[in-house]
Amino acid sequence: MDIPKVLLPVMFHRWTTISFLHWPVPAERFRVPHGLEVETFDGTAWLGVTPFVTTIRPGLARFPETNVRTYVRDAQGRRGVWFLSLEAGMLSAVLGGRAGYWLPYRWAEMSARLDGDRMSYRSLRRWPGRPGARCDADVEIGSALGDKDALATFLTERYRLYTEVAGVLACADVEHRPWPLHQARVVSLRQDLAEGLSDDPPVVHFSPGVAVRVGMWRPIRRAA
């Protein structure tokens, strides 16, 4: 498993109460920069909607996020995440993510609440982008998974994010222990952050969370 060591982290996070909701989609749906290719599992690409809670350096800040993403490889064969959008419940985090990593963050009114074995996530976009875009999800948490199957590993174990900084392809390493996963299912879902998805239920996993070390982005030389 490709888990990088982040020797000089610029951020220390905890990502907690995260639900991974995934749908199979055609790879042609995604447009990624030259130098990246959409990664597939048994020939199928996947789109993820992942609501969770971020804590920055315990005591500094805590807020919900919801990311829409797919999975990519670069010319060196390294695996990572390509974000389509990132909703966050704290404006300063949105501004920092947009300015520091050139990621498509949006500010949203958000909440995340754990009640017994059920997580309730609410998100309503404020700015920028289409105002009112939402993701309201209720997820029932099941028993802990033992060994992850190949698909769960493909969808969750990602330790690198890709971005474009002023037109330059770049990546940042993300170090954490493998996600402790639980079985889960969607009880209710109302969302339009990602459109055109199958009516079939998504593949769902839940994790109580991990501690995270995030590295600074660095440029990637594109293949000719």
Side-chain angles (χ1 to χ4, degrees), residues 44-80:
T44 300
W46 290 79
L47 184 146
V49 176
T50 58
F52 63 105
V53 173
T54 291
T55 301
I56 301 177
R57 273 193 190 270
L60 283 186
R62 185 175 185 273
F63 55 91
E65 287 197 42
T66 298
N67 299 339
V68 181
R69 64 200 222 174
T70 192
Y71 305 107
V72 293
R73 285 183 183 267
D74 63 20
Q76 300 174 51
R78 298 177 303 180
R79 307 168 67 204

Side-chain angles (χ1 to χ4, degrees), residues 20 39 71 77 85 101 136-137 153 162 197 210 220-222:
F20 299 92
E39 188 179 11
Y71 305 107
S85 68
Y101 284 78
D136 297 342
T153 298
Y162 290 93
L197 299 176
V210 292
I220 300 173
R221 181 175 297 178
R222 302 181 197 249

Side-chain angles (χ1 to χ4, degrees), residues 84-87 94 98 104-108 124-134 193:
L84 307 178
S85 68
L86 305 94
E87 316 289 308
V94 169
R98 294 178 71 88
Y105 268 98
R106 279 85 165 118
W107 183 32
L124 186 67
R125 183 181 294 169
R126 291 173 166 172
W127 170 89
R130 177 168 53 87
R134 70 169 56 243
L193 300 181

